[in-house]
Amino acid sequence: MSTVRIDRVAGHIGAEITGVDLSAPLSEEDVAAIRAALLAHKVVFFRGQHLDHGRQIAFARQFGELTHAHPHEDAPPEEHPEILTIDPRRYEKLYGLDRKQQTRRQYSYYSGWHTDVTAAVNPPAASILRAETVPAFGGDTAWSNLVAAYEGLSEPLRALADGLRAEHRFLAGSEADESGRYAERINKNLLVAVHPVVRVHPETGERALFVNPGFTKKILGLSAAESRQILDLFFGQIARPAYTVRFRWQPGDIAFWDNRATAHLAPEDLEHLDVERTLHRVTLIGDRPVGPDGFTSELISGVEFRAQREPAVSGV
């Protein structure tokens, strides 16, 4: 019998799971309980698990096949190509960007509200983030329930959103000029996709507002002004506090979220502080989103996001 306990932590999203040791193989009952909690609550949290890279990967593989660390990551930990390490010091070393530049230019995972890698035609189905080193204060992460955001729109706006399609690409949310080593890398390995603005969840059948300011560039078929105004309205909707949960990290904590039904916000309160914050992420391979009208996401540039060890290259 499963010993998993699930406690909700916010009104629309989030639950904390206890009674399970993620460093050991899980029973079928525990895997099923965690999967059901993830689908119901969109993001689930585990405290004090203290996994290493190998155990984090082993835990994740019980829920699906893993992607390469990131489409633009060419230096994952040795022997663990699935791991993306999130640490501002890495970006400074690799691309010459200090933490304030990262925040201002949105070149790293300090990029405001986003759903992971929606520039890919098949964004990750889920993400699992593990905290190694975190500051004594600050550095919280927030998640938003995109199903609740969609359902909170008025009926005419839901009907409008149901038939729209949008282009997603890297650097879509950046107002800076696209220069520098990181931007050059992105432009040489373009990932661009067209997704439905509303995604039908492949397991629950729920409809989610599938746009985010980190990756969504424009709505197709509208003028630039119309696209900007409608996207701003949708972006404001997904960022409403009522649909969110905020998580205070401690070393060893794990967050596991459904990338098909959530957006998340990296911390924005650390750039003026001299603190260390190191986390490690793995992602589960996803499928192509499908809209209410049956439209399936289309690849514009790049390749599907799979388990390849090398970053994706453009031209298919």
Side-chain angles (χ1 to χ4, degrees):
M1 181 178 296
S2 175
T3 59
V4 168
R5 173 174 172 172
I6 300 164
D7 295 296
R8 296 178 66 174
V9 295
H12 280 287
I13 181 174
E16 185 169 321
I17 297 181
T18 55
V20 63
D21 178 5
L22 303 188
S23 67
L26 301 177
S27 67
E28 292 183 5
E29 292 81 6
D30 286 348
V31 170
I34 293 170
R35 187 185 300 277
L38 180 68
L39 293 175
H41 305 296
K42 315 311 181 199
V43 58
V44 294
F45 307 109
F46 304 85
R47 293 287 189 181
Q49 293 289 328
H50 298 287
L51 307 182
D52 57 17
H53 290 338
R55 287 189 174 92
Q56 181 180 5
I57 290 168
F59 165 66
R61 281 184 173 150
Q62 296 171 95
F63 296 89
E65 187 181 358
L66 300 187
T67 69
H68 179 77
H70 189 272
H72 296 110
E73 175 62 68
D74 60 355
E78 187 175 355
E79 299 183 1
H80 298 292
E82 303 89 350
I83 295 283
L84 175 70
T85 295
I86 298 171
D87 183 344
R89 293 170 300 181
R90 293 187 68 250
Y91 288 88
E92 183 175 357
K93 180 179 179 180
L94 290 171
Y95 305 115
L97 301 171
D98 65 28
R99 186 177 296 159
K100 291 184 178 180
Q101 285 178 309
Q102 292 175 44
T103 302
R104 184 170 60 252
R105 295 188 177 188
Q106 301 180 347
Y107 274 179
S108 78
Y109 280 83
Y110 294 82
S111 57
W113 285 104
H114 65 283
T115 298
D116 283 334
V117 200
T118 61
V121 72
N122 62 322
S127 300
I128 300 172
L129 186 62
R130 166 175 59 97
E132 178 182 339
T133 304
V134 294
F137 56 88
D140 299 354
T141 304
W143 284 263
S144 177
N145 183 339
L146 300 183
V147 173
Y150 171 80
E151 293 174 348
L153 293 170
S154 65
E155 191 282 327
L157 278 177
R158 292 197 303 272
L160 172 65
D162 283 347
L164 296 176
R165 304 170 189 180
E167 178 186 295
H168 292 234
R169 62 170 61 223
F170 282 96
L171 297 180
S174 176
E175 296 180 357
D177 59 22
E178 297 184 7
S179 60
R181 279 180 282 170
Y182 188 61
E184 180 181 0
R185 179 174 181 80
I186 286 174
N187 289 327
K188 285 183 177 179
N189 299 273
L190 277 178
L191 278 182
V192 183
V194 171
H195 295 305
V197 166
V198 175
R199 178 176 190 172
V200 179
H201 196 286
E203 294 186 68
T204 68
E206 296 173 312
R207 296 186 184 189
L209 193 57
F210 201 65
V211 293
N212 67 89
F215 288 101
T216 309
K217 182 70 173 180
K218 61 183 178 181
I219 296 177
L220 303 186
L222 304 185
S223 70
E226 290 169 337
S227 174
R228 183 77 267 152
Q229 290 171 347
I230 291 177
L231 282 177
D232 283 346
L233 187 155
F234 291 157
F235 293 162
Q237 180 73 356
I238 70 175
R240 285 186 58 190
Y243 305 135
T244 68
V245 63
R246 182 167 176 162
F247 187 62
R248 174 68 55 87
W249 292 98
Q250 298 174 10
D253 290 349
I254 288 175
F256 184 1
W257 65 93
D258 189 337
N259 204 54
R260 302 161 296 186
T262 61
H264 56 282
L265 178 67
E268 298 180 327
D269 61 342
L270 297 179
E271 67 272 9
H272 64 298
L273 301 174
D274 184 18
V275 296
E276 292 186 16
R277 185 178 185 271
T278 302
L279 301 96
H280 306 283
R281 194 196 74 186
V282 296
T283 54
L284 303 180
I285 290 175
D287 54 2
R288 297 192 182 204
V290 178
D293 59 358
F295 171 75
T296 301
S297 295
E298 296 177 348
L299 181 69
I300 304 301
S301 180
V303 297
E304 287 196 343
F305 189 21
R306 296 291 178 183
Q308 71 271 15
R309 289 180 177 268
E310 297 300 323
V313 294
S314 60
V316 196

